[in-house]
Amino acid sequence: MSWFFLLLSVIVWAQPDSSFVFVRGGTFRMGANDGQQDERPRHRVRVSDFYVSRTEITNAQYVKFLNAKGNQRQGNTEWIDLSGSWRSYKCPIYQKDGKFYVRPGYENYPVAFVSWWGAEAYAEWVGGRLPTEAEWEYLAQKADSLVKGKKIFTIARLRENSGYKPNPVATLNPTPPGIYDLFGNMYEWCYDWYDEDYYRKSPRRNPLGPENGQMKVIRGGSWETAASSVRITNRAALGPDNNNITVGFRVVIPTKKWKKFISNTAVQYGHKDF
């Protein structure tokens, strides 16, 4: 009987629900020789199959996590800054009598003011992790033709069409293979530490980023990014303790056994291994 339940758990893990879409792995050219210094050199990378969440994680999804795990402190910050605000936009998640809630009307907005630690903790809670930078760019390459010219406004909420604030998820067209807001609305935390010279030494298969660093990679641009600045190879970074109005995240569930780095920084901050 125990073997039956073990097999069942493996099957469930390998088949995420409909909020995820399957991505067939493959080889692609990552980076750009004519881009910024940290995008060079263009190099060949192969990523394995994975599942990815169709949308950036929403306030409604994150509240379920908070009610299960609490708003813990990791690194030098809490997972989510409930007092976070920018102009008239305030964090829509609040705590009352020990429970977490979303202000009505904001359930389907992407969660904001979440640190890298809070994003990764959620991802682990649902059985996955944050996407690697290579996985993110692999998805972006599939949307290459949609990022040029006015087509970008059919798939991305940017400075010109966002009202200069976050928007609900999935209000525009998806990009292959059926995911929303990969560009715009919110920058997205990636798994990797940032190193501007990493592409010169990156492994060619499932690169994880450097073992240590000061900042984490963020990708995709946000609601305040100008369309002219959006490129599929553009890299950006932010300290993992930042709870920022422009940064959210999505989740990846790998189909193969995953091994992560145990870095000194991760041990110091109490980050869990997969």
Side-chain angles (χ1 to χ4, degrees), residues 1-17 51 126-127 253-257:
M1 183 65 71
S2 60
W3 281 106
F4 171 77
F5 285 112
L6 178 60
L7 177 61
L8 180 62
S9 66
V10 171
I11 293 173
V12 170
W13 176 85
Q15 296 179 341
D17 64 30
Y51 291 89
V126 298
I253 298 179
T255 59
K256 295 184 177 180
K257 185 178 180 181

Side-chain angles (χ1 to χ4, degrees), residues 11 22 48 60 62 76 80 103 116 130 144 184 210 224 228 239 242 269 274:
I11 293 173
F22 177 73
S48 299
Y62 204 78
N76 297 302
I80 182 170
R103 282 192 287 133
W116 182 91
L130 294 173
D144 186 30
E224 72 165 0
S228 60
N242 278 271
Y269 287 149
F274 292 105

Side-chain angles (χ1 to χ4, degrees), residues 42-61:
R42 194 174 187 218
H43 57 291
R44 188 180 295 274
V45 170
R46 180 169 182 81
V47 296
S48 299
D49 300 349
F50 59 94
Y51 291 89
V52 63
S53 57
R54 292 182 183 275
T55 70
E56 293 163 338
I57 300 307
T58 65
N59 289 317
Q61 290 173 306

Side-chain angles (χ1 to χ4, degrees), residues 2 6 25 34 80 85 95 98 104 131-132 160 212 217 228 242 254 263:
S2 60
L6 178 60
D34 59 351
I80 182 170
S85 64
Q95 187 176 16
T132 65
E160 294 88 342
N212 288 286
V217 173
S228 60
N242 278 271
S263 69

Side-chain angles (χ1 to χ4, degrees), residues 120-131:
E120 177 61 22
Y122 175 93
E124 292 182 13
W125 182 67
V126 298
R129 55 166 170 74
L130 294 173

Side-chain angles (χ1 to χ4, degrees), residues 145-173:
S145 64
L146 298 172
V147 179
K148 299 177 174 68
K150 293 185 177 180
K151 288 183 179 179
I152 187 68
F153 298 118
T154 68
I155 63 166
R157 292 290 182 187
L158 300 165
R159 178 177 297 182
E160 294 88 342
N161 66 340
S162 68
Y164 212 56
K165 64 182 187 303
N167 282 240
V169 300
T171 59
L172 296 175
N173 295 334

Side-chain angles (χ1 to χ4, degrees), residues 179-232:
I179 58 176
Y180 295 86
D181 303 309
L182 188 67
F183 299 94
N185 212 7
M186 305 292 280
Y187 271 106
E188 297 180 4
W189 287 116
C190 290
Y191 175 80
D192 315 41
W193 291 108
Y194 172 79
D195 178 351
E196 67 176 6
D197 294 322
Y198 183 66
Y199 286 5
R200 301 185 185 279
K201 54 198 172 188
S202 168
R204 295 297 182 255
R205 188 177 184 89
N206 292 326
L208 308 175
E211 294 191 29
N212 288 286
Q214 299 298 316
M215 297 187 292
K216 288 289 186 177
V217 173
I218 56 174
R219 286 294 205 113
S222 78
W223 50 266
E224 72 165 0
T225 303
S228 60
S229 299
V230 177
R231 292 179 295 106
I232 61 177

